[in-house]
Amino acid sequence: MKTKTLAAMALAGAVASGPALADLVIPDLSYRTGPYAAGGTPFSDGYQDYFNLLNARDGGIGGEPVRIVECETGYNTERGVECYESTKGEGALIYQPLSTGITYQLIPKATADEIPIHTMGYGRTSAANGEVFNWVFNYPANYWDAASVAVNYLLDENGGDLNGKSIALVYHNSAYGKEPIRTLEALSDMHGFELSQLAVDHPGQEQKSQWLQIRRERPDYVLMWGWGVMNQVAVQEAANIGFPMENFIGNWWAGAEHDVTPAGAAANGYKSLNMNRVVDYPVLAEITSLVHDAGNAAGDGSNMGSVLYVRGMYAAMLAAEAIAKAQEIHGVADVTPAMVRDGMEALEITDARMAELGMEGIGPEFSVSCADHGGAGQGLVQQWNASSSTWEPLTDFIAPDDAVISPLVAEDSAAFAAENSITPGCL
Amino acid sequence: MLYREAGDFKTSYVADNQTFPIKFDRIGFWATMVVAFGVIPFLINDYWANAIFVPFLIYAIAAIGLNILTGYCGQVSLGTGGFMAVGAYACYKLMTAFPDVSIIIHIILAGGITAAVGAAFGLPSLRIKGFYLAVATLAAQFFLVWLFNKVSWFYNYSASGQINAPERFVAGFAVTGPNTAPWAQYLICLVFLTLCALIARNLTRGTIGRTWMAIRDMDIAAEIIGVNPLKAKLTAFAVSSFFIGISGALFFAVYLGAVEVGEAFGIQKSFLVLFMIIIGGLGSLFGSFAGAAFLVILPVALKVVGVDWLGWPTDLVAHFQLVIIGALIMFFLIKEPHGLAQLWRLAKEKLRLWPFPY
């Protein structure tokens, strides 16, 4: 009996880890547990649901079915490495780790293994320089773009002059939160605003002292680079000290429904950036009918249409388009990671294509090239309306100040290239 | 039958003093060594190295370090994560400041620097003990993490605050950086673990180990019979931190390659190593190995069984893991405070008497 059970288990294991079938393997390094689960869950749901939709509607991409391999990282880098190692052997085509910490781990590993990484609006900003980071893509926008977009928005609000204003940056004390500081410092020199930095330690539940400082110093604006539970606490603390919510702007990882709903009506007027428009796209109805009603929903299906769900779906769309592009370039359906990289580098997202996919205007138009892995870098500003519980877009997509960001990207990527003895060039 | 002392005669003091007095243990030890050095390096792949072996070897070094302090000398410490961070950052600063010096020397020096820092934070142990000392070491944990986050000199002023291990070679083979072969990663950790374990074994058997244990068992009595508490406690902190520093340096340079201090060396790391020695067995080197292996393999095993075989949702398995580890810690604290090592010891006792128990 016992040997039988063991044999059955061994057999099940052999089947599960058996030879890779001819399909497109997309790992999903998700986190549905821990202090960052509130953000990780809807993103992962959207990411998986879109691939499931492609499987149900089109039979995959270019006739090849997509197989999603989910692996729970808990936003923890060690688990992330384990997930990467366990999924790469299955023929993973593209990684989307949704964590700046894990991205920093994976950049050298994936480059050595020649598997592309897509870090959409997070990760290492200077990866926008595709000549140094051949295998890393961070289109459609990165953190430095976000910092510049936020400042451009504030410039717009203040008639083009921020001289003498004060801006406080509340940031997650990690690689993620520290990324925008360099750009904000450059922008502060350029526009004459005063920048103060307030670090919040992981996981971010404790920020009383930071907000007391804000209360004392009364900055004109507060920018926030937060994620997970930190966002909810910050919005609540801002409400507690009576900070005017319309002067409090989060980045695009600090602007989802779950970040503001815990504070209730007090969160009304809180602003955040967004890199994808959230409206009722036709593709969402298709997902509901073809994926959710068929019982294939990722997670519990309750996140449909939320900010991060739509962003996850957007990320999946960009990956699917890159794979389709790769199939077109190389003329084979069963593509390899190296081919997908070529597809990503030749990717072109147009308004017409987004409309065709049932998500008209979800993001800006952009195209990728070997020199530029960063995309358009645009973001919009949205505001929370607590009474209707919706994010209302205030602006169209705002362009960042490339004159500030490009030299910073060039400098940082050159330093990375020198440290790792990389000769910049195209593959 | 196999496992017994009967007939295993010693004719010299050297033979009588050897590490493994029972022949079967010696054979087992050498067999393990042969497999670890001669077989695994040829079979290992990226997954096994990064998911199981390298973390196990590194955590085993950390567990040996903490076990010397807590298990042998009785000084409770919650600063392991902070001391690992000292090792990692010392190694990083040395690697970037002296790129021509061998990484082996850097790792040992990182251990030395951590030993100095550990001894400094061990000073309060002369006045306070038990829970109060735990709180003092907790302060070390938070202070060190804060320091490495705050002072940009430690991470060479990089924009992200991360430290990245540059590529370094030992005898022409890369041991750090992305192009490291899994066997090289495994072997360098294995060599360090073997040396650390040998040093620890011999220290705990000798005078210094006996003074630690005397302090642990009853510090006043120890002082009366002539043990110098200052020397005993500070050496325990220094030796323990030396091992923990080496594990931190390997953790950063060989295993992860890029580290963010709050994430990699936070308080949860201190607890993880503490759980290893609690589950493995306080005051036992074998316990350090067993605890490290258990807590490294358990999450991976649960994931393989739960997600890959049974097809459960990943979040359910991750939550189960927390439940199981929590339950195991309670179980061990209540039922077997001496941990896996005690179970092994009892099994050995039984084996020695088998098949004629009395």
Side-chain angles (χ1 to χ4, degrees), chain A residues 9 13 76-78 82 85-86 88 104-105 108 173-175 178, chain B residues 46-47 50 59 149 160 162 178 251 256 258 260 263 269 303 309:
Chain A
M9 279 170 84
N76 172 295
T77 45
E78 284 168 68
E82 199 263 329
E85 297 293 350
S86 68
K88 84 174 184 198
Y104 270 82
Q105 296 291 323
N173 201 358
S174 66
K178 285 174 182 166
Chain B
D46 268 341
Y47 177 72
N50 277 305
Y59 279 121
N149 231 331
S160 59
Q162 289 234 349
F251 188 81
L256 287 183
E260 200 175 287
E263 211 274 325
K269 190 110 306 168
K303 199 192 96 175
W309 291 4

PDB file of all heavy atoms in Angstrom, chain A residues 9 13 76-78 82 85-86 88 104-105 108 173-175 178, chain B residues 46-47 50 59 149 160 162 178 251 256 258 260 263 269 303 309:
ATOM      1  N   MET A   9       2.853   8.895  -6.185  1.00  0.00           N
ATOM      2  CA  MET A   9       3.344  10.260  -6.009  1.00  0.00           C
ATOM      3  C   MET A   9       4.512  10.529  -6.937  1.00  0.00           C
ATOM      4  O   MET A   9       4.603  11.584  -7.561  1.00  0.00           O
ATOM      5  CB  MET A   9       3.757  10.493  -4.563  1.00  0.00           C
ATOM      6  CG  MET A   9       2.585  10.801  -3.657  1.00  0.00           C
ATOM      7  SD  MET A   9       3.072  10.790  -1.945  1.00  0.00           S
ATOM      8  CE  MET A   9       3.699  12.433  -1.786  1.00  0.00           C
ATOM      9  N   GLY A  13       4.738  13.263  -9.799  1.00  0.00           N
ATOM     10  CA  GLY A  13       5.840  14.208  -9.888  1.00  0.00           C
ATOM     11  C   GLY A  13       6.475  14.165 -11.258  1.00  0.00           C
ATOM     12  O   GLY A  13       6.779  15.187 -11.861  1.00  0.00           O
ATOM     13  N   ASN A  76       9.577  38.349  -1.554  1.00  0.00           N
ATOM     14  CA  ASN A  76      10.823  38.052  -0.865  1.00  0.00           C
ATOM     15  C   ASN A  76      11.858  37.637  -1.906  1.00  0.00           C
ATOM     16  O   ASN A  76      11.565  36.810  -2.770  1.00  0.00           O
ATOM     17  CB  ASN A  76      10.537  36.931   0.145  1.00  0.00           C
ATOM     18  CG  ASN A  76      11.777  36.393   0.781  1.00  0.00           C
ATOM     19  OD1 ASN A  76      12.618  35.812   0.106  1.00  0.00           O
ATOM     20  ND2 ASN A  76      11.904  36.568   2.073  1.00  0.00           N
ATOM     21  N   THR A  77      13.068  38.210  -1.815  1.00  0.00           N
ATOM     22  CA  THR A  77      14.030  37.957  -2.889  1.00  0.00           C
ATOM     23  C   THR A  77      14.504  36.507  -2.913  1.00  0.00           C
ATOM     24  O   THR A  77      14.708  35.952  -3.983  1.00  0.00           O
ATOM     25  CB  THR A  77      15.255  38.874  -2.756  1.00  0.00           C
ATOM     26  OG1 THR A  77      15.673  38.880  -1.414  1.00  0.00           O
ATOM     27  CG2 THR A  77      14.937  40.282  -3.177  1.00  0.00           C
ATOM     28  N   GLU A  78      14.662  35.890  -1.742  1.00  0.00           N
ATOM     29  CA  GLU A  78      15.130  34.502  -1.755  1.00  0.00           C
ATOM     30  C   GLU A  78      14.122  33.592  -2.424  1.00  0.00           C
ATOM     31  O   GLU A  78      14.468  32.729  -3.226  1.00  0.00           O
ATOM     32  CB  GLU A  78      15.358  34.009  -0.327  1.00  0.00           C
ATOM     33  CG  GLU A  78      16.621  34.536   0.283  1.00  0.00           C
ATOM     34  CD  GLU A  78      16.643  34.259   1.765  1.00  0.00           C
ATOM     35  OE1 GLU A  78      16.740  33.099   2.141  1.00  0.00           O
ATOM     36  OE2 GLU A  78      16.528  35.213   2.544  1.00  0.00           O
ATOM     37  N   GLU A  82      14.341  31.357  -5.949  1.00  0.00           N
ATOM     38  CA  GLU A  82      13.921  29.949  -6.026  1.00  0.00           C
ATOM     39  C   GLU A  82      12.890  29.786  -7.138  1.00  0.00           C
ATOM     40  O   GLU A  82      12.944  28.837  -7.929  1.00  0.00           O
ATOM     41  CB  GLU A  82      13.354  29.519  -4.666  1.00  0.00           C
ATOM     42  CG  GLU A  82      13.292  28.040  -4.446  1.00  0.00           C
ATOM     43  CD  GLU A  82      11.928  27.447  -4.743  1.00  0.00           C
ATOM     44  OE1 GLU A  82      10.912  28.141  -4.567  1.00  0.00           O
ATOM     45  OE2 GLU A  82      11.884  26.300  -5.173  1.00  0.00           O
ATOM     46  N   GLU A  85      14.586  29.988 -10.544  1.00  0.00           N
ATOM     47  CA  GLU A  85      15.317  28.775 -10.894  1.00  0.00           C
ATOM     48  C   GLU A  85      14.380  27.618 -11.201  1.00  0.00           C
ATOM     49  O   GLU A  85      14.668  26.797 -12.054  1.00  0.00           O
ATOM     50  CB  GLU A  85      16.272  28.379  -9.759  1.00  0.00           C
ATOM     51  CG  GLU A  85      17.367  29.381  -9.465  1.00  0.00           C
ATOM     52  CD  GLU A  85      18.388  29.517 -10.591  1.00  0.00           C
ATOM     53  OE1 GLU A  85      18.355  28.706 -11.528  1.00  0.00           O
ATOM     54  OE2 GLU A  85      19.199  30.454 -10.528  1.00  0.00           O
ATOM     55  N   SER A  86      13.254  27.559 -10.468  1.00  0.00           N
ATOM     56  CA  SER A  86      12.370  26.415 -10.686  1.00  0.00           C
ATOM     57  C   SER A  86      11.550  26.578 -11.958  1.00  0.00           C
ATOM     58  O   SER A  86      11.091  25.598 -12.516  1.00  0.00           O
ATOM     59  CB  SER A  86      11.468  26.188  -9.470  1.00  0.00           C
ATOM     60  OG  SER A  86      10.551  27.238  -9.350  1.00  0.00           O
ATOM     61  N   LYS A  88      12.588  28.501 -14.776  1.00  0.00           N
ATOM     62  CA  LYS A  88      13.326  28.754 -16.024  1.00  0.00           C
ATOM     63  C   LYS A  88      13.562  27.456 -16.792  1.00  0.00           C
ATOM     64  O   LYS A  88      13.604  27.473 -18.018  1.00  0.00           O
ATOM     65  CB  LYS A  88      14.629  29.488 -15.744  1.00  0.00           C
ATOM     66  CG  LYS A  88      15.780  28.602 -15.345  1.00  0.00           C
ATOM     67  CD  LYS A  88      17.064  29.378 -15.229  1.00  0.00           C
ATOM     68  CE  LYS A  88      18.199  28.419 -14.927  1.00  0.00           C
ATOM     69  NZ  LYS A  88      19.379  29.070 -14.401  1.00  0.00           N
ATOM     70  N   TYR A 104      16.375  43.257  -9.347  1.00  0.00           N
ATOM     71  CA  TYR A 104      17.816  43.433  -9.214  1.00  0.00           C
ATOM     72  C   TYR A 104      18.526  42.081  -9.126  1.00  0.00           C
ATOM     73  O   TYR A 104      19.639  41.919  -9.603  1.00  0.00           O
ATOM     74  CB  TYR A 104      18.143  44.290  -7.988  1.00  0.00           C
ATOM     75  CG  TYR A 104      18.192  45.766  -8.313  1.00  0.00           C
ATOM     76  CD1 TYR A 104      17.039  46.515  -8.390  1.00  0.00           C
ATOM     77  CD2 TYR A 104      19.399  46.381  -8.564  1.00  0.00           C
ATOM     78  CE1 TYR A 104      17.080  47.855  -8.700  1.00  0.00           C
ATOM     79  CE2 TYR A 104      19.457  47.729  -8.879  1.00  0.00           C
ATOM     80  CZ  TYR A 104      18.295  48.459  -8.938  1.00  0.00           C
ATOM     81  OH  TYR A 104      18.354  49.784  -9.252  1.00  0.00           O
ATOM     82  N   GLN A 105      17.874  41.089  -8.505  1.00  0.00           N
ATOM     83  CA  GLN A 105      18.435  39.740  -8.464  1.00  0.00           C
ATOM     84  C   GLN A 105      18.487  39.135  -9.852  1.00  0.00           C
ATOM     85  O   GLN A 105      19.429  38.443 -10.211  1.00  0.00           O
ATOM     86  CB  GLN A 105      17.532  38.805  -7.635  1.00  0.00           C
ATOM     87  CG  GLN A 105      17.409  39.140  -6.212  1.00  0.00           C
ATOM     88  CD  GLN A 105      18.690  38.896  -5.529  1.00  0.00           C
ATOM     89  OE1 GLN A 105      19.379  37.942  -5.848  1.00  0.00           O
ATOM     90  NE2 GLN A 105      19.043  39.776  -4.635  1.00  0.00           N
ATOM     91  N   PRO A 108      21.176  40.160 -13.572  1.00  0.00           N
ATOM     92  CA  PRO A 108      22.363  39.407 -14.016  1.00  0.00           C
ATOM     93  C   PRO A 108      22.063  37.957 -14.357  1.00  0.00           C
ATOM     94  O   PRO A 108      22.600  37.428 -15.328  1.00  0.00           O
ATOM     95  CB  PRO A 108      23.322  39.506 -12.828  1.00  0.00           C
ATOM     96  CG  PRO A 108      22.561  40.081 -11.713  1.00  0.00           C
ATOM     97  CD  PRO A 108      21.319  40.669 -12.213  1.00  0.00           C
ATOM     98  N   ASN A 173      11.645  52.427   2.173  1.00  0.00           N
ATOM     99  CA  ASN A 173      13.096  52.447   2.338  1.00  0.00           C
ATOM    100  C   ASN A 173      13.729  51.196   1.738  1.00  0.00           C
ATOM    101  O   ASN A 173      14.170  50.289   2.429  1.00  0.00           O
ATOM    102  CB  ASN A 173      13.434  52.556   3.830  1.00  0.00           C
ATOM    103  CG  ASN A 173      14.824  53.086   4.048  1.00  0.00           C
ATOM    104  OD1 ASN A 173      15.546  53.345   3.088  1.00  0.00           O
ATOM    105  ND2 ASN A 173      15.203  53.249   5.295  1.00  0.00           N
ATOM    106  N   SER A 174      13.739  51.153   0.430  1.00  0.00           N
ATOM    107  CA  SER A 174      14.277  49.998  -0.286  1.00  0.00           C
ATOM    108  C   SER A 174      14.720  50.502  -1.644  1.00  0.00           C
ATOM    109  O   SER A 174      14.585  51.680  -1.956  1.00  0.00           O
ATOM    110  CB  SER A 174      13.195  48.938  -0.458  1.00  0.00           C
ATOM    111  OG  SER A 174      12.184  49.436  -1.302  1.00  0.00           O
ATOM    112  N   ALA A 175      15.233  49.594  -2.446  1.00  0.00           N
ATOM    113  CA  ALA A 175      15.673  49.981  -3.789  1.00  0.00           C
ATOM    114  C   ALA A 175      14.516  50.657  -4.533  1.00  0.00           C
ATOM    115  O   ALA A 175      14.712  51.642  -5.242  1.00  0.00           O
ATOM    116  CB  ALA A 175      16.132  48.760  -4.554  1.00  0.00           C
ATOM    117  N   LYS A 178      14.000  54.244  -3.217  1.00  0.00           N
ATOM    118  CA  LYS A 178      15.126  55.148  -3.395  1.00  0.00           C
ATOM    119  C   LYS A 178      15.337  55.537  -4.850  1.00  0.00           C
ATOM    120  O   LYS A 178      16.041  56.499  -5.133  1.00  0.00           O
ATOM    121  CB  LYS A 178      16.402  54.496  -2.860  1.00  0.00           C
ATOM    122  CG  LYS A 178      16.472  54.481  -1.344  1.00  0.00           C
ATOM    123  CD  LYS A 178      17.676  53.703  -0.878  1.00  0.00           C
ATOM    124  CE  LYS A 178      17.739  53.648   0.639  1.00  0.00           C
ATOM    125  NZ  LYS A 178      18.683  52.642   1.102  1.00  0.00           N
TER     126      LYS A 178
ATOM    127  N   ASP B  46      21.527  24.338 -11.535  1.00  0.00           N
ATOM    128  CA  ASP B  46      21.171  25.658 -11.010  1.00  0.00           C
ATOM    129  C   ASP B  46      20.067  25.576  -9.965  1.00  0.00           C
ATOM    130  O   ASP B  46      20.116  26.239  -8.941  1.00  0.00           O
ATOM    131  CB  ASP B  46      20.681  26.556 -12.151  1.00  0.00           C
ATOM    132  CG  ASP B  46      21.808  27.359 -12.750  1.00  0.00           C
ATOM    133  OD1 ASP B  46      22.833  27.491 -12.069  1.00  0.00           O
ATOM    134  OD2 ASP B  46      21.662  27.831 -13.884  1.00  0.00           O
ATOM    135  N   TYR B  47      19.047  24.765 -10.265  1.00  0.00           N
ATOM    136  CA  TYR B  47      17.908  24.735  -9.358  1.00  0.00           C
ATOM    137  C   TYR B  47      18.306  24.171  -7.998  1.00  0.00           C
ATOM    138  O   TYR B  47      18.022  24.759  -6.966  1.00  0.00           O
ATOM    139  CB  TYR B  47      16.765  23.923  -9.957  1.00  0.00           C
ATOM    140  CG  TYR B  47      15.608  23.838  -8.997  1.00  0.00           C
ATOM    141  CD1 TYR B  47      14.825  24.959  -8.754  1.00  0.00           C
ATOM    142  CD2 TYR B  47      15.346  22.681  -8.283  1.00  0.00           C
ATOM    143  CE1 TYR B  47      13.795  24.926  -7.843  1.00  0.00           C
ATOM    144  CE2 TYR B  47      14.315  22.634  -7.371  1.00  0.00           C
ATOM    145  CZ  TYR B  47      13.541  23.754  -7.160  1.00  0.00           C
ATOM    146  OH  TYR B  47      12.536  23.719  -6.250  1.00  0.00           O
ATOM    147  N   ASN B  50      20.621  26.681  -6.123  1.00  0.00           N
ATOM    148  CA  ASN B  50      20.036  27.925  -5.616  1.00  0.00           C
ATOM    149  C   ASN B  50      18.841  27.712  -4.709  1.00  0.00           C
ATOM    150  O   ASN B  50      18.533  28.564  -3.891  1.00  0.00           O
ATOM    151  CB  ASN B  50      19.631  28.817  -6.785  1.00  0.00           C
ATOM    152  CG  ASN B  50      20.807  29.601  -7.285  1.00  0.00           C
ATOM    153  OD1 ASN B  50      21.459  30.302  -6.530  1.00  0.00           O
ATOM    154  ND2 ASN B  50      21.107  29.449  -8.557  1.00  0.00           N
ATOM    155  N   TYR B  59      23.062  28.838   5.639  1.00  0.00           N
ATOM    156  CA  TYR B  59      22.306  28.912   6.899  1.00  0.00           C
ATOM    157  C   TYR B  59      22.922  28.003   7.950  1.00  0.00           C
ATOM    158  O   TYR B  59      22.828  28.292   9.143  1.00  0.00           O
ATOM    159  CB  TYR B  59      20.837  28.562   6.673  1.00  0.00           C
ATOM    160  CG  TYR B  59      20.035  29.716   6.127  1.00  0.00           C
ATOM    161  CD1 TYR B  59      19.368  29.621   4.920  1.00  0.00           C
ATOM    162  CD2 TYR B  59      19.953  30.913   6.830  1.00  0.00           C
ATOM    163  CE1 TYR B  59      18.631  30.682   4.413  1.00  0.00           C
ATOM    164  CE2 TYR B  59      19.235  31.977   6.340  1.00  0.00           C
ATOM    165  CZ  TYR B  59      18.572  31.857   5.131  1.00  0.00           C
ATOM    166  OH  TYR B  59      17.858  32.916   4.643  1.00  0.00           O
ATOM    167  N   ASN B 149      21.320  51.242   5.782  1.00  0.00           N
ATOM    168  CA  ASN B 149      20.360  51.898   4.908  1.00  0.00           C
ATOM    169  C   ASN B 149      20.620  53.391   4.830  1.00  0.00           C
ATOM    170  O   ASN B 149      20.389  54.029   3.820  1.00  0.00           O
ATOM    171  CB  ASN B 149      18.949  51.670   5.463  1.00  0.00           C
ATOM    172  CG  ASN B 149      18.030  51.143   4.407  1.00  0.00           C
ATOM    173  OD1 ASN B 149      18.217  51.419   3.233  1.00  0.00           O
ATOM    174  ND2 ASN B 149      17.043  50.379   4.822  1.00  0.00           N
ATOM    175  N   SER B 160      20.127  53.020  -5.824  1.00  0.00           N
ATOM    176  CA  SER B 160      19.053  52.193  -5.289  1.00  0.00           C
ATOM    177  C   SER B 160      19.321  51.763  -3.857  1.00  0.00           C
ATOM    178  O   SER B 160      18.441  51.211  -3.207  1.00  0.00           O
ATOM    179  CB  SER B 160      18.895  50.962  -6.156  1.00  0.00           C
ATOM    180  OG  SER B 160      20.099  50.248  -6.163  1.00  0.00           O
ATOM    181  N   GLN B 162      21.179  49.369  -3.153  1.00  0.00           N
ATOM    182  CA  GLN B 162      21.485  47.939  -3.199  1.00  0.00           C
ATOM    183  C   GLN B 162      22.987  47.745  -3.294  1.00  0.00           C
ATOM    184  O   GLN B 162      23.697  48.606  -3.802  1.00  0.00           O
ATOM    185  CB  GLN B 162      20.866  47.337  -4.461  1.00  0.00           C
ATOM    186  CG  GLN B 162      19.380  47.257  -4.412  1.00  0.00           C
ATOM    187  CD  GLN B 162      18.902  45.868  -4.682  1.00  0.00           C
ATOM    188  OE1 GLN B 162      19.650  45.006  -5.093  1.00  0.00           O
ATOM    189  NE2 GLN B 162      17.637  45.616  -4.446  1.00  0.00           N
ATOM    190  N   PRO B 178      26.879  36.494 -12.108  1.00  0.00           N
ATOM    191  CA  PRO B 178      25.855  35.685 -12.765  1.00  0.00           C
ATOM    192  C   PRO B 178      26.391  34.483 -13.516  1.00  0.00           C
ATOM    193  O   PRO B 178      25.650  33.542 -13.774  1.00  0.00           O
ATOM    194  CB  PRO B 178      25.214  36.669 -13.739  1.00  0.00           C
ATOM    195  CG  PRO B 178      26.242  37.717 -13.974  1.00  0.00           C
ATOM    196  CD  PRO B 178      27.017  37.825 -12.707  1.00  0.00           C
ATOM    197  N   PHE B 251      26.212  34.676   1.824  1.00  0.00           N
ATOM    198  CA  PHE B 251      24.801  34.890   1.480  1.00  0.00           C
ATOM    199  C   PHE B 251      24.670  35.990   0.430  1.00  0.00           C
ATOM    200  O   PHE B 251      23.957  35.846  -0.562  1.00  0.00           O
ATOM    201  CB  PHE B 251      24.052  35.291   2.754  1.00  0.00           C
ATOM    202  CG  PHE B 251      22.571  35.370   2.611  1.00  0.00           C
ATOM    203  CD1 PHE B 251      21.801  34.224   2.673  1.00  0.00           C
ATOM    204  CD2 PHE B 251      21.938  36.584   2.443  1.00  0.00           C
ATOM    205  CE1 PHE B 251      20.429  34.298   2.557  1.00  0.00           C
ATOM    206  CE2 PHE B 251      20.566  36.657   2.323  1.00  0.00           C
ATOM    207  CZ  PHE B 251      19.814  35.507   2.382  1.00  0.00           C
ATOM    208  N   LEU B 256      22.938  35.332  -3.253  1.00  0.00           N
ATOM    209  CA  LEU B 256      22.004  36.259  -3.888  1.00  0.00           C
ATOM    210  C   LEU B 256      22.666  37.166  -4.924  1.00  0.00           C
ATOM    211  O   LEU B 256      22.073  37.446  -5.959  1.00  0.00           O
ATOM    212  CB  LEU B 256      21.306  37.113  -2.829  1.00  0.00           C
ATOM    213  CG  LEU B 256      20.268  36.374  -1.994  1.00  0.00           C
ATOM    214  CD1 LEU B 256      19.602  37.327  -1.032  1.00  0.00           C
ATOM    215  CD2 LEU B 256      19.209  35.727  -2.881  1.00  0.00           C
ATOM    216  N   ALA B 258      22.918  40.217  -5.091  1.00  0.00           N
ATOM    217  CA  ALA B 258      22.469  41.595  -4.886  1.00  0.00           C
ATOM    218  C   ALA B 258      21.611  41.591  -3.631  1.00  0.00           C
ATOM    219  O   ALA B 258      20.810  40.694  -3.446  1.00  0.00           O
ATOM    220  CB  ALA B 258      21.656  42.096  -6.067  1.00  0.00           C
ATOM    221  N   GLU B 260      19.514  43.903  -0.476  1.00  0.00           N
ATOM    222  CA  GLU B 260      18.947  45.125   0.065  1.00  0.00           C
ATOM    223  C   GLU B 260      18.837  44.857   1.561  1.00  0.00           C
ATOM    224  O   GLU B 260      18.221  43.878   1.963  1.00  0.00           O
ATOM    225  CB  GLU B 260      17.564  45.257  -0.541  1.00  0.00           C
ATOM    226  CG  GLU B 260      16.965  46.597  -0.514  1.00  0.00           C
ATOM    227  CD  GLU B 260      15.671  46.515  -1.274  1.00  0.00           C
ATOM    228  OE1 GLU B 260      15.695  46.414  -2.512  1.00  0.00           O
ATOM    229  OE2 GLU B 260      14.637  46.508  -0.621  1.00  0.00           O
ATOM    230  N   GLU B 263      15.502  44.102   3.516  1.00  0.00           N
ATOM    231  CA  GLU B 263      14.762  42.953   3.019  1.00  0.00           C
ATOM    232  C   GLU B 263      15.490  41.652   3.345  1.00  0.00           C
ATOM    233  O   GLU B 263      14.896  40.678   3.771  1.00  0.00           O
ATOM    234  CB  GLU B 263      14.589  43.126   1.511  1.00  0.00           C
ATOM    235  CG  GLU B 263      13.330  42.523   0.942  1.00  0.00           C
ATOM    236  CD  GLU B 263      13.504  41.084   0.611  1.00  0.00           C
ATOM    237  OE1 GLU B 263      14.605  40.735   0.193  1.00  0.00           O
ATOM    238  OE2 GLU B 263      12.548  40.317   0.777  1.00  0.00           O
ATOM    239  N   LYS B 269      15.150  37.438   9.533  1.00  0.00           N
ATOM    240  CA  LYS B 269      16.323  36.569   9.349  1.00  0.00           C
ATOM    241  C   LYS B 269      16.839  36.108  10.704  1.00  0.00           C
ATOM    242  O   LYS B 269      17.187  34.943  10.884  1.00  0.00           O
ATOM    243  CB  LYS B 269      17.390  37.327   8.577  1.00  0.00           C
ATOM    244  CG  LYS B 269      18.509  36.479   8.126  1.00  0.00           C
ATOM    245  CD  LYS B 269      18.539  36.272   6.616  1.00  0.00           C
ATOM    246  CE  LYS B 269      17.261  35.757   6.036  1.00  0.00           C
ATOM    247  NZ  LYS B 269      17.241  35.827   4.598  1.00  0.00           N
ATOM    248  N   LYS B 303       6.082  23.374  -1.256  1.00  0.00           N
ATOM    249  CA  LYS B 303       5.703  23.956  -2.541  1.00  0.00           C
ATOM    250  C   LYS B 303       5.591  22.864  -3.601  1.00  0.00           C
ATOM    251  O   LYS B 303       4.627  22.820  -4.363  1.00  0.00           O
ATOM    252  CB  LYS B 303       6.740  25.005  -2.965  1.00  0.00           C
ATOM    253  CG  LYS B 303       6.224  25.951  -4.001  1.00  0.00           C
ATOM    254  CD  LYS B 303       7.324  26.769  -4.601  1.00  0.00           C
ATOM    255  CE  LYS B 303       7.786  26.143  -5.892  1.00  0.00           C
ATOM    256  NZ  LYS B 303       8.775  26.931  -6.593  1.00  0.00           N
ATOM    257  N   TRP B 309       2.354  19.023  -7.273  1.00  0.00           N
ATOM    258  CA  TRP B 309       1.700  17.713  -7.305  1.00  0.00           C
ATOM    259  C   TRP B 309       0.198  17.833  -7.116  1.00  0.00           C
ATOM    260  O   TRP B 309      -0.579  17.271  -7.867  1.00  0.00           O
ATOM    261  CB  TRP B 309       2.275  16.795  -6.223  1.00  0.00           C
ATOM    262  CG  TRP B 309       3.686  16.380  -6.515  1.00  0.00           C
ATOM    263  CD1 TRP B 309       4.450  16.810  -7.572  1.00  0.00           C
ATOM    264  CD2 TRP B 309       4.499  15.482  -5.767  1.00  0.00           C
ATOM    265  NE1 TRP B 309       5.685  16.230  -7.508  1.00  0.00           N
ATOM    266  CE2 TRP B 309       5.756  15.410  -6.420  1.00  0.00           C
ATOM    267  CE3 TRP B 309       4.284  14.740  -4.613  1.00  0.00           C
ATOM    268  CZ2 TRP B 309       6.784  14.617  -5.951  1.00  0.00           C
ATOM    269  CZ3 TRP B 309       5.318  13.949  -4.143  1.00  0.00           C
ATOM    270  CH2 TRP B 309       6.553  13.890  -4.808  1.00  0.00           C
TER     271      TRP B 309
END
